[in-house]
Amino acid sequence: MASKEENKTLGQVYQEEFQPDYYIKRYYSAIDAGNEFCLKNLHQFFEEECGQKKNTVGVAKKVLEVGSGPVPIYVISASHWSNSIVCSDFLEQNREKLIQWLSAGHEEDGTWLSYAHFVAQLESENADKESAFLVLDRVRHSVRSVIPCDVLQSDPLLGSTESPFDIIISVFCLECAVSSPKEYPNAISNVVQLLSPSGHLIMMGGLEGEHYCIRDRKIPRIKLTREMISSALEGVGCTIVTWHELPRHLRPPELPIDYTAMFFCVAKKMC
């Protein structure tokens, strides 16, 4: 007979075990090659997709981040081009942490300054440390709301009227939200239906990994491959237009994660 612990759903495990402060301290205490990989590729995508003009904030693109967690850094580049950004997460504690940061002043920016400075330098050769504060202020002004999200539901935004979106960003989310590889295509489908025709889905995550740790608890994730991602996207009418990988050994070895490489994928909705 299965134990009470074994009968818990993955969602229940997250609700009980995931601690935003620990997660930030453990995985984001210092910028590393993996963070730079994500931020550089996001910057390049938005610069190419949204054009070279630097004073067009908010005129066109509606952006959604699926699975924001308690982390504001993956919408930094988006905030240069859009003031219509929606962040979302399954966990109430993550949403509260992110809302707390969005409504705070510079005294709460310490953890994120190195990330903002890195992006500021991508945007301008003349960026100094003060630019990091300005970039984080820009994020605060660009995020319109932080809402609940469950990618296992056919309506992931749970009744919100925000969709459709021109661009959806999802970082280390979908492969961690599903309990088996069979659920992965459905999660992709649920998210893609929030995209406008010709919209873009940007995903970043880990390949071949089976867990990551929150304190002493191993949080399971599916063993994701490029073939699984390609198949799921093709099944919902999306085509991969950009694919990059970063070998695992370029990240700090002490991070409690077991994937073999990070990936950055941009897919376009063709219908």
Side-chain angles (χ1 to χ4, degrees), residues 141-159:
H141 289 120
S142 298
V143 174
R144 291 195 295 107
S145 58
V146 180
I147 63 176
C149 178
D150 184 350
V151 300
L152 302 184
Q153 303 298 318
S154 58
D155 177 11
L157 300 186
L158 309 176

Side-chain angles (χ1 to χ4, degrees), residues 258-270:
D258 67 343
Y259 57 73
T260 59
M262 291 182 68
F263 71 89
F264 176 88
C265 172
V266 179
K268 186 173 183 178
K269 187 175 183 180
M270 306 307 293

Side-chain angles (χ1 to χ4, degrees), residues 241-257:
V241 295
T242 302
W243 181 275
H244 300 300
E245 291 185 22
L246 179 77
R248 167 71 179 87
H249 65 79
L250 294 179
R251 298 206 72 183
E254 67 273 12
L255 284 181
I257 44 182

Side-chain angles (χ1 to χ4, degrees), residues 100-119:
Q100 176 187 335
W101 177 81
L102 287 167
S103 60
H106 289 171
E107 68 276 3
E108 296 293 327
D109 286 346
T111 300
W112 310 118
L113 283 174
S114 58
Y115 299 89
H117 188 228
F118 179 80
V119 177

